[in-house]
Amino acid sequence: MDRYAVIGNPIAHSLSPAIHARFAAQSGERIEYAALLAPIGGFGAAARAFFEGGGRGANVTLPFKVDAFGIADVASDRARVAGAANFLARRDGRLEADNTDGAGLVTDLRANLGVDLRGARILLVGAGGAARGVLGPLLAAGPASLVIANRGVEKALDLAARFRGAAVVEACALDAIPARDFDLVINATSASTKGEPLALPETVWRARPLAYDMAYGANAEGFVAAARGRGVRATDGLGMLVEQAAESYLLWRGHRPATAEVIAALRAGRA
Ligand code: ATR
């Protein structure tokens, strides 16, 4: 049986094993997909032990995505741009890194939520690892403008500078977001996860953008509720989670599983 795993810390509540079990069941494939807890500072050893023990592929979650990029023998362009990997595969004895988070977000927005990203005016809030992981694929989707707003403006400026060639990217501080119309507001901060409020100027909601939190479930509740309170459509990132998993499954196994039924099942399970 082909063996896969998601490696993180904490990991007990990861939905990835359930998602991949559903993908495999669709096509009658027999795979094993486990949740592995690696100690902080011990990701490299845990990952190497998994692959030396015959593991075919691993997803990597917080806080190890930068470490995963670091231990790979080869990395895809999108992992290099992100400086982080959520995907590892062993092929011909070499460890390959990729990053499927951005593709997962873009697919969820386009295919599941019907968002037309070409020409869209995007506000990306946050400039940490989560934001960096999705910026390349978001820009590749052809938005008209993309403003990166972060509490600490330096980090937003640094992130924007990585995409110097992209004329549509701007950076600003959270309290200096331009009073413009946005079509899409993405929360890539860890504020809700930490139970902290995310203070955004009211003008952000003026054009009734879709509000999207890259976290899911309880970790997205603060942002989603605040946006809905302003009368705008808002969603968490459960669809992104499933779509990044589908992209990983495709890279490992050569075909893309159906995602809508898996997203629906997870939402029903939660409710
Ligand atoms: P992640 O990998 O989840 O992105 P990170 O790299 O630590 O984690 O980045 C966390 C992001 O959330 C940063 O953009 C951070 O802003 P700062 O760089 O100014 O710290 C943002 N963030 C965390 N708590 C926040 C809060 N209460 N309000 C606004 N932004 C917050």
Side-chain angles (χ1 to χ4, degrees):
M1 210 185 316
D2 293 338
R3 288 179 54 221
Y4 302 89
V6 58
I7 309 176
N9 187 331
I11 201 64
H13 298 292
S14 172
L15 293 174
S16 293
I19 292 169
H20 284 276
R22 284 179 179 274
F23 288 166
Q26 287 173 5
S27 48
E29 289 165 85
R30 282 170 45 76
I31 67 165
E32 181 191 302
Y33 188 109
L36 294 184
L37 179 74
I40 301 299
F43 172 78
R48 270 187 279 273
F50 173 71
F51 282 106
E52 276 158 22
R56 292 278 301 267
N59 284 127
V60 181
T61 188
L62 298 180
F64 299 131
K65 292 184 185 184
V66 174
D67 296 352
F69 176 67
I71 68 162
D73 300 310
V74 270
S76 68
D77 283 348
R78 51 192 188 179
R80 259 197 301 277
V81 167
N86 71 329
F87 172 98
L88 292 170
R90 189 169 168 135
R91 285 200 189 96
D92 306 324
R94 291 196 316 175
L95 204 53
E96 299 177 2
D98 203 337
N99 194 314
T100 66
D101 282 333
L105 172 64
V106 167
T107 302
D108 191 36
L109 287 167
R110 275 194 188 136
N112 301 329
L113 297 163
V115 176
D116 186 4
L117 289 169
R118 186 153 295 281
R121 300 159 297 181
I122 302 175
L123 173 63
L124 179 64
V125 186
R132 193 164 134 175
V134 299
L135 195 48
L138 272 180
L139 286 171
S145 59
L146 193 152
V147 177
I148 305 168
N150 197 49
R151 191 171 54 180
V153 71
E154 283 304 322
K155 235 157 105 177
L157 290 167
D158 285 353
L159 187 53
R162 292 175 68 90
F163 294 86
R164 251 186 304 272
V168 300
V169 179
E170 296 164 62
C172 64
L174 212 49
D175 55 9
I177 295 174
R180 284 192 216 145
D181 290 352
F182 294 104
D183 304 302
L184 174 64
V185 176
I186 300 172
N187 180 21
T189 75
S190 53
S192 312
T193 307
K194 296 188 294 180
E196 296 170 4
L198 180 65
L200 295 177
E202 288 302 321
T203 50
V204 155
W205 308 115
R206 192 167 69 185
R208 305 177 65 79
L210 171 69
Y212 191 103
D213 198 314
M214 284 172 48
Y216 61 88
N219 286 337
E221 256 163 33
F223 177 78
V224 168
R228 286 190 183 143
R230 267 83 181 179
V232 307
R233 182 159 79 117
T235 180
D236 72 359
L238 186 69
M240 173 182 170
L241 178 77
V242 174
E243 296 297 347
Q244 66 75 32
E247 183 81 7
S248 299
Y249 199 95
L250 168 68
L251 293 173
W252 286 323
R253 304 192 63 81
H255 65 99
R256 174 180 279 282
T259 51
E261 65 193 52
V262 178
I263 296 169
L266 291 174
R267 289 230 185 269
R270 184 179 315 286

